[in-house]
């Protein structure tokens, strides 16, 4: 169990690293494009780079978001539920999330194969869509692991909320 | 049996009256009501036009229309019809595309049955305030384009191509983020650009957009024979022609309104001025044709 | 099961899932996906799941979400937003709730540079909440102000809401933008009056600060110059045509990073931490936006909007009756659906009714956008409230909903005023 947790945490850290690096890359791309354009030399395919990197940003942070308990909940009745019920809801929610991300991974895996068959790519730079769809599949897979780990830890009696300071 | 037609545009868009309604009628009459068509407008079956082909292949909808230009990598040869100078301005794109379809384009449409192919009105130059009469007038200006071929064409004319979502074009023209755009004149009314476009230059052959309507292959194969008969070659030609003519009518109304308006100056380029644009753009088209090995497709489109 | 029944049941289940504390995005995914599966088959559900997810995650305009979060995070770790609030506190801290009023004005300013409510709430939330907390403002007031103030993004031009309305109804974008100006200012004023009223009744919500001398005010102002110049460059760049509103987010982020690095207030470690925390917030916000795009097709497939408006046409309620019922429908739908996608589904149904009654479509556009703004903060699915929650982790969502309620009533008042006096919306476009 501990080894599993450690490896899952490493994968979560790795996907967050890709997402964070992607965000900084996008800032750079926009800056170079804006400056270049106003001197008549825009960055060729800037929009292709921005939109495809955005996929990495959005899904790269998904597993860490869950690890840090970052998914938004309506907590109006939390205080009036007994502790055991809150725990059951948390475990069920984590399992539901795992199913959802597994479905996302499966659906996008199918689309990625279709993208390869249809030779789909971005319009200017010809970046293959399938690369980024497989990235979503991988990141979603890590998120499934993170959610299963949450469910497992809660079942084993871990405290319900992760430390806020971790952010 | 009910077939689903995915339309990402609003229900009152040109596509509804010119294609979806006649298609529904043909199916209903041909099968005595056994096969009906239901349109899902406004992206009810998914918002993005870029995904339309995939949507039909995956069976989210049985039918849908889209633009090859949004996923041009899938349609290297079909995109030839969009190139500057590929067809004469008054030559219908739908006839050209169907002429080339069997021999050249069909392989770009796997797993679907192609029900319609058509083109838009010709592209024109729409500018914020500059009067464009020659390629030199464009030098250094920022022009919004929609695809790779258009970007190269704009560079060949000496301008700087800019990618910008169509919904941001209004603001972009207003603030001067872009000096103009290359597109069909229907955007003047469709995206309310008539308020911010100061001049239009007509007559140069800057190419056009193209469109397809496809049906899921398995769904087509499963249709009763009467329904297949209702979707025969003649019907496909008819659907294509009607759509292209409807597009042209919207564009002509936009140009007429621009001519009548004090706010917009419409420039009709002279033969000599047009020749200068043709000369500057011919290498772009030639390079593309050579790159994709599209000589035979172009010849078929031109009816040679 | 009839589609309408399925749609209604779906919304009820969504409500229950939300109330028992299933994460908002998961609840919307579950209901949207199963609803589409039920009404239109598994291939349609899988297709939509994949295409909507990827299309939203690669949407060229939504890139402002991570960029504005990054800008807010860096401004916060470098102390730039602290200095901004020090300046505001020195100037108007003596007034009860002064900082909250200043935040409303900040939201209005931010709205003028961004067309999106999400971006406004995120950026203002990231910079303003911790600062108001520092001056002992109650979280209920500060989060309420930011969630409500952020909605100004789609009323004050430029506004994505007006652009989409204009395209769908063939109205002039320019006239709609002009029509949004005075209602935007009116609403901003009502928000400030709400803050003053709240702080007059409960002074501890926004405690009074000490009096300051002119020299102290001047010093505080000088400290805020870096962040103020970022704001000026960003707004100037948009209106001067140097960059698009989307790119402005990237330029703004780059500028605060540059200033932080040059002023040595940003270390490599704190910079990386700020960026890493930005993608976590991005993930939680984007997941909700993606999930909302699965709820919309489900509701469309259930024919719920079409049925309701079909009933409306047969009721024959007269001009004001019809108008109020339509706005009420938007208000109710706005409790569940994401606003802009909702416009695409409903406007084609409502517009003929509106035009037939002789209602001015520009005026109606302002009323609709204002109603959509209310939907952004009304429970259970209040996107802006969720967004504020994503940057104010320690404040319970219930507290934010409570905090936003007075501002919701201010919006209702604004709506009624504009219904009673259409000239507020129509005077400026009439001058064009
Ligand atoms: Na705005
Ligand atoms: Na809402």
């Amino acid at each position: 169990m501990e080894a599993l947790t450690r490896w899952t945490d490493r994968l979560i850290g790795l996907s967050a690293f890709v997402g964070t690096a992607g965000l900084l890359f996008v800032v750079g791309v926009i800056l170079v494009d804006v400056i270049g354009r106003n001197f008549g030399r825009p960055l060729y395919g800037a929009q292709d780079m921005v939109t495809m990197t955005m996929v990495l940003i959005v899904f790269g942070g998904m597993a860490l978001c869950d690890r840090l308990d970052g998914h938004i909940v309506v907590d109006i009745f939390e205080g009036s539920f007994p502790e055991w019920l809150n725990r059951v809801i948390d475990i069920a929610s984590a399992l539901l999330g795992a199913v959802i991300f597994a479905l996302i991974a499966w659906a996008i895996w199918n689309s990625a194969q279709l993208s390869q068959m249809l030779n789909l790519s971005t319009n200017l730079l010809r970046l293959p869509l399938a690369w980024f769809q497989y990235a979503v599949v991988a990141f979603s897979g890590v998120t499934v692991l993170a959610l299963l780990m949450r469910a497992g830890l809660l079942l084993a009696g871990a405290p319900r909320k992760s430390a806020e300071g971790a952010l | 049996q009910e077939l689903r037609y995915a339309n990402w545009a609003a229900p009152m868009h040109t596509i509804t009256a010119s294609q979806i309604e006649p298609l529904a009628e043909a199916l209903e009459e041909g099968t005595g009501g056994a096969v009906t068509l239901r349109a899902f407008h406004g992206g009810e079956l998914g918002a993005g036009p870029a995904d339309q082909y995939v949507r039909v292949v995956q069976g989210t909808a049985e039918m849908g229309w889209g633009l090859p230009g949004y996923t041009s990598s899938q349609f290297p040869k079909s995109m030839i019809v969009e190139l500057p100078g590929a067809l004469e301005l008054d030559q219908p794109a739908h006839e050209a595309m169907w002429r080339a379809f069997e021999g050249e384009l069909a392989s770009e449409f796997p797993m679907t049955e192609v029900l319609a192919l058509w083109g838009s009105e010709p592209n024109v130059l729409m500018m914020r305030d500059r009067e464009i009469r020659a390629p030199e007038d464009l030098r250094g200006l920022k022009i919004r384009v929609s695809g790779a071929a258009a970007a190269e064409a704009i560079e060949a004319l000496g301008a700087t191509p800019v990618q910008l979502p169509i919904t941001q074009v209004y603001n972009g023209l207003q603030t001067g983020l872009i000096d103009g755009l290359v597109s069909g004149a229907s955007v003047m009314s469709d995206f309310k650009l008539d308020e911010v476009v100061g001049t239009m230059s007509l007559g140069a052959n800057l190419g056009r957009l193209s469109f397809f309507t496809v049906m899921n292959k398995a769904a087509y194969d499963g249709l009763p024979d009467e329904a297949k008969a209702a979707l025969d070659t003649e019907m496909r030609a008819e659907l294509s022609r009607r759509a292209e003519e409807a597009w042209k009518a919207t564009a002509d109304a936009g140009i007429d309104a621009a001519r009548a308006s004090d706010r917009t100056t419409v420039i009709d380029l002279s033969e000599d001025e047009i020749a200068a644009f043709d000369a500057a753009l011919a290498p772009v088209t030639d390079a593309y044709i050579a790159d994709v090995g599209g000589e035979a497709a172009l010849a078929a489109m031109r009816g040679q | 099961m009839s589609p309408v029944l399925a749609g209604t049941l779906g919304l009820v289940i969504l409500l229950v899932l939300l109330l028992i504390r299933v994460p908002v995005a998961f609840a919307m995914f579950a209901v949207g996906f199963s609803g589409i599966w039920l009404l239109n088959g598994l291939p349609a559900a899988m297709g939509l799941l994949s295409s909507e997810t990827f299309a939203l995650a690669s949407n060229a305009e939504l890139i402002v979400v991570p960029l504005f979060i990054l800008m807010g995070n860096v401004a916060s770790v470098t102390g730039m937003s602290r200095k901004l609030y020090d300046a505001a506190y020195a100037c108007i801290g003596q007034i009860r709730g002064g900082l909250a009023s200043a935040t409303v004005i900040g939201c209005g300013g931010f709205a003028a540079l961004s067309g999106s409510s999400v971006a406004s709430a995120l950026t203002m939330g990231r910079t303003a909440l911790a600062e108001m907390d520092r001056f002992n403002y109650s979280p209920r007031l500060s989060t309420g102000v930011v969630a409500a103030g952020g909605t100004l993004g789609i009323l004050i031009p430029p506004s994505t809401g007006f652009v989409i309305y204009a395209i769908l109804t063939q109205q002039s974008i320019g006239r709609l933008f002009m029509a949004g100006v005075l209602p935007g200012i009116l609403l901003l004023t009502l928000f400030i009056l709400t803050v003053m009223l709240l702080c007059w009744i409960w002074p501890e919500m926004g405690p009074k600060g000490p009096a300051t001398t002119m020299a102290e005010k001047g010093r505080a102002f000088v400290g805020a110059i870096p962040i103020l110049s970022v704001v000026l460059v960003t707004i100037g760049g948009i209106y001067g045509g140097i960059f698009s509103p989307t790119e402005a987010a990237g330029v703004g982020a780059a500028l605060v990073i540059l200033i932080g690095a040059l002023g040595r207030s940003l270390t490599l470690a704190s910079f990386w931490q700020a960026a890493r925390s930005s993608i976590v917030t991005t993930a939680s916000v984007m997941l909700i936006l993606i999930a909302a795009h699965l709820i919309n097709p489900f509701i469309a497939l259930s024919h719920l909007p079409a049925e309701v408006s079909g009933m409306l046409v047969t009721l024959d309620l007269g001009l004001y009756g019809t108008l109020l019922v339509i706005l009420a429908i938007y208000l109710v739908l706005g409790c569940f659906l994401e606003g802009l996608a909702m416009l695409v589904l409903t406007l084609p149904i409502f517009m003929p009714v509106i035009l037939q009654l002789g209602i001015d479509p520009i005026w109606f556009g302002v009323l609709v956008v204002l109603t959509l703004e209310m939907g952004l903060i009304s429970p259970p699915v209040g996107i802006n409230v969720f967004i504020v929650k994503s940057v104010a982790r320690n404040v319970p969502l219930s507290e934010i909903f409570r905090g936003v309620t007075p501002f919701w009533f201010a919006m209702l008042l604004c709506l009624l005023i504009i219904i009673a006096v259409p000239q507020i919306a129509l005077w400026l476009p009439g001058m064009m």
Side-chain angles (χ1 to χ4, degrees):
Chain A
M1 186 73 192
E2 231 167 73
L4 201 65
T5 316
R6 206 169 50 241
W7 276 100
T8 307
D9 271 337
R10 277 186 196 161
L11 285 174
I12 293 171
L14 181 66
S15 58
F17 179 88
V18 174
T20 310
L23 179 55
L24 302 180
F25 174 71
V26 164
V27 174
V29 167
I30 290 177
L31 206 58
V32 170
D33 185 39
V34 165
I35 294 172
R37 187 176 61 232
N38 286 288
F39 290 96
R41 307 281 302 268
L43 186 59
Y44 186 77
Q47 191 176 300
D48 286 5
M49 287 186 236
V50 168
T51 50
M52 287 303 113
T53 311
M54 187 178 160
V55 174
L56 308 181
I57 299 172
V58 171
F59 275 86
M62 215 51 95
L64 184 61
C65 176
D66 176 71
R67 187 78 180 99
L68 299 178
D69 211 359
H71 292 302
I72 292 154
V73 298
V74 180
D75 47 18
I76 297 176
F77 294 123
E78 184 173 12
S80 44
F81 289 163
E83 170 65 19
W84 67 265
L85 182 59
N86 276 324
R87 184 172 287 272
V88 169
I89 291 170
D90 279 354
I91 294 168
S93 297
L95 292 175
L96 174 66
V99 171
I100 288 166
F101 274 96
L103 273 173
I104 291 177
W106 185 35
I108 292 194
W109 172 271
N110 288 335
S111 293
Q113 288 185 316
L114 201 54
S115 300
Q116 276 180 318
M117 208 200 79
L118 297 175
N119 189 29
L120 297 182
S121 66
T122 63
N123 264 342
L124 260 56
L125 294 176
R126 297 279 180 232
L127 304 170
L129 275 196
W131 292 356
F132 301 91
Q133 291 172 318
Y134 285 127
V136 173
V137 174
F139 289 140
S140 300
V142 177
T143 312
V144 171
L145 284 180
L147 284 156
L148 289 177
M149 184 169 97
R150 166 188 298 285
L153 291 174
L154 284 168
L155 270 171
R160 275 204 312 115
K161 303 217 164 160
S162 356
E164 285 291 333
L167 247 179
Chain B
Q1 189 185 0
E2 187 179 76
L3 301 174
R4 295 165 298 182
Y5 186 113
N7 170 24
W8 84 84
M12 63 279 200
H13 187 273
T14 316
I15 192 77
T16 307
S18 71
Q19 184 178 91
I20 302 178
E21 285 170 3
L23 187 55
E25 263 170 49
L27 278 170
E28 190 145 355
E29 274 172 27
T31 63
V35 176
T36 56
L37 186 72
R38 185 161 146 224
F40 292 83
H41 301 290
E44 283 175 17
L45 292 178
D51 290 321
Q52 285 291 89
Y53 197 88
V54 169
R55 209 161 270 142
V56 169
V57 170
Q58 290 187 327
T60 308
E62 281 77 27
M63 294 182 194
W65 72 291
L67 289 77
Y70 276 114
T71 51
S72 51
S73 53
Q74 185 191 338
F75 304 100
K77 288 186 181 168
S78 306
M79 289 294 289
I80 290 172
V81 80
E82 299 197 359
L83 296 175
L87 302 179
E88 298 297 324
L89 286 184
D90 53 0
Q91 200 182 346
H94 62 98
E95 288 174 3
M97 292 172 84
W98 279 117
R99 267 198 301 270
F101 183 74
E102 213 48 67
E104 296 289 331
L105 311 183
S107 62
E108 295 180 353
F109 295 85
M111 296 187 285
T112 61
E113 193 70 23
V114 179
L115 299 184
L117 293 167
W118 71 102
S120 69
E121 70 278 12
N123 284 336
V124 295
L125 275 165
M126 286 166 276
M127 307 297 294
R128 191 179 178 223
D129 45 19
R130 304 289 187 105
E131 298 197 357
I132 305 296
R133 294 178 187 277
E136 296 79 64
D137 297 338
L138 283 167
R139 182 155 302 143
L141 299 187
K142 291 169 286 182
I143 306 293
R144 189 259 181 188
V145 296
S146 49
E152 275 169 40
I154 277 303
E155 276 191 315
L157 294 175
T160 305
V162 176
Q163 282 181 295
L164 197 67
I166 186 72
T167 47
Q168 287 187 15
V169 167
Y170 184 99
N171 274 334
L173 282 170
Q174 201 167 45
T175 60
L177 177 70
I178 49 175
D179 298 295
L181 72 154
V182 173
S183 178
S186 57
V187 295
M188 290 286 278
S189 59
D190 284 351
F191 294 96
K192 308 310 296 170
L193 300 186
D194 47 347
E195 298 168 19
V196 280
V197 166
T199 75
M200 294 173 85
S201 300
L202 311 182
N205 192 329
L206 302 169
R208 63 186 95 197
L209 297 179
S210 61
F211 309 90
F212 59 75
T213 299
V214 291
M215 178 169 184
N216 182 291
K217 182 83 180 144
Y220 176 82
D221 290 340
L223 285 179
D225 288 340
E226 312 87 72
K228 282 185 189 154
L231 299 174
D232 64 0
T233 314
E234 215 169 295
M235 185 61 198
R236 295 178 196 198
E238 164 78 4
L239 288 172
S240 308
R241 182 186 61 77
R242 287 187 66 159
E244 184 156 333
E245 280 170 7
W247 250 256
K248 284 223 165 87
T250 312
D252 288 343
I255 292 174
D256 287 345
R259 285 188 199 278
S261 151
D262 303 334
R263 200 163 14 187
T264 319
T265 312
V266 178
I267 302 168
D268 293 291
L269 299 172
S270 70
E271 295 282 332
D272 289 347
E273 288 165 341
I274 291 173
F277 280 94
D278 288 349
L281 291 172
V284 176
T285 302
D286 293 346
Y288 183 91
I289 304 281
D291 188 35
V292 303
E295 293 82 1
L298 179 65
M301 284 174 182
R302 286 175 169 167
Q304 290 161 350
Chain C
M1 189 172 359
S2 83
V4 176
L5 181 61
T8 318
L9 212 59
L11 290 184
V12 173
I13 294 173
L14 176 62
L15 192 61
V16 172
L17 289 178
L18 289 176
L19 289 181
I20 62 167
R21 223 168 38 78
V22 173
V24 173
F26 295 176
M28 292 202 284
F29 263 114
V31 170
F33 183 84
S34 354
I36 297 164
W37 183 356
L38 178 74
L39 293 176
N40 225 344
L42 188 58
M46 290 299 281
L48 272 165
L49 181 65
S50 123
S51 71
E52 296 304 279
T53 302
F54 197 79
L56 257 90
S58 61
N59 180 306
E61 295 180 60
L62 286 177
I63 189 68
V64 298
V65 169
L67 290 173
F68 275 133
I69 299 174
L70 178 66
M71 176 174 152
N73 277 344
V74 174
S76 160
V77 296
T78 53
M80 275 186 239
S81 34
R82 167 182 279 258
K83 285 178 181 150
L84 183 65
Y85 272 83
D86 283 343
Y89 198 64
C91 294
I92 51 170
Q94 312 83 283
I95 304 169
R96 269 184 209 160
L99 283 185
S101 300
T103 304
V104 171
I105 295 170
C107 287
F110 195 88
L113 77 89
S114 128
S116 134
S117 290
V118 171
S120 304
L122 269 174
T123 317
M124 290 306 295
R126 206 62 202 86
T127 38
L129 293 175
E131 297 307 320
M132 283 192 272
D133 196 40
R134 184 158 64 91
F135 292 105
N136 295 320
Y137 275 53
S138 86
R140 185 182 292 188
L141 178 65
S142 60
T143 53
V145 159
V146 172
T151 67
L152 288 168
I154 56 168
L155 189 60
I156 296 178
S159 145
T160 328
F162 279 137
V163 171
I164 290 179
Y165 179 88
I167 290 170
L168 285 170
T169 60
Q170 291 297 296
Q171 294 302 313
S172 151
I173 298 177
R175 286 168 62 89
L176 277 162
F177 277 6
M178 294 306 282
V181 173
L182 290 181
I185 294 172
L186 172 66
L187 184 56
L188 203 139
T189 314
L190 287 174
F191 281 168
I192 292 175
L193 290 176
T194 310
V195 169
M196 292 168 82
L197 182 70
L198 288 172
C199 293
W200 180 67
I201 304 176
W202 295 286
E204 69 283 3
M205 274 188 143
K208 232 188 249 193
T212 47
T213 65
M214 275 318 279
E216 284 169 318
K217 286 189 172 77
R219 255 200 313 278
F221 179 76
V222 169
I225 284 178
I227 184 77
L228 286 175
S229 50
V230 171
V231 174
L232 281 181
V233 168
T234 323
I235 295 188
I238 293 173
Y239 286 93
I242 314 286
F243 39 73
S244 71
T246 316
E247 291 165 339
V251 173
L255 282 176
V256 290
I257 294 169
L258 199 69
I259 293 175
L262 291 179
R264 305 278 166 91
S265 51
L266 191 65
T267 64
L268 206 56
S270 66
F271 173 46
W272 183 261
Q273 197 51 41
R276 194 168 187 259
S277 120
S278 304
I279 68 160
V280 174
T281 312
T282 302
S284 71
V285 170
M286 287 298 299
L287 197 65
I288 289 185
L289 291 181
I290 293 170
H293 279 253
L294 279 184
I295 291 285
N296 278 323
F298 165 49
I299 296 303
L301 291 168
S302 77
H303 309 309
L304 210 51
E307 290 286 328
V308 172
S309 45
M311 257 162 45
L312 172 73
V313 180
T314 59
L315 280 180
D316 194 18
L317 293 167
L319 193 150
Y320 283 99
T322 312
L323 186 66
L324 288 177
V325 172
I326 289 180
L327 293 178
I329 292 173
Y330 275 121
L331 213 52
V332 174
L333 286 177
C335 291
F336 295 96
L337 301 181
E338 199 265 330
L340 298 183
M342 187 167 80
L343 283 186
V344 183
L345 296 179
T346 51
L347 275 180
I349 305 168
F350 288 142
M351 262 345 256
V353 184
I354 292 296
L355 294 174
Q356 200 190 342
L357 286 170
I359 294 175
D360 188 315
I362 299 278
W363 179 51
F364 181 64
V366 173
L367 297 178
V368 166
V369 166
L370 197 53
T371 317
L372 291 187
E373 280 193 82
M374 295 171 76
L376 287 171
I377 57 168
S378 52
V381 182
I383 301 278
N384 261 30
V385 172
F386 298 153
I387 279 161
V388 168
K389 170 71 186 172
S390 75
V391 289
R393 291 300 196 66
N394 46 358
V395 184
L397 199 74
S398 44
E399 190 73 0
I400 308 179
F401 270 125
R402 263 181 226 122
V404 94
T405 308
F407 297 96
W408 190 90
F409 282 104
M411 290 164 113
L412 187 64
L413 181 62
C414 184
L415 190 71
L416 294 176
I417 293 176
I418 297 170
I419 291 176
V421 192
Q423 282 307 310
I424 299 171
L426 296 176
W427 182 64
L428 272 183
M431 310 272 288
M432 280 170 79

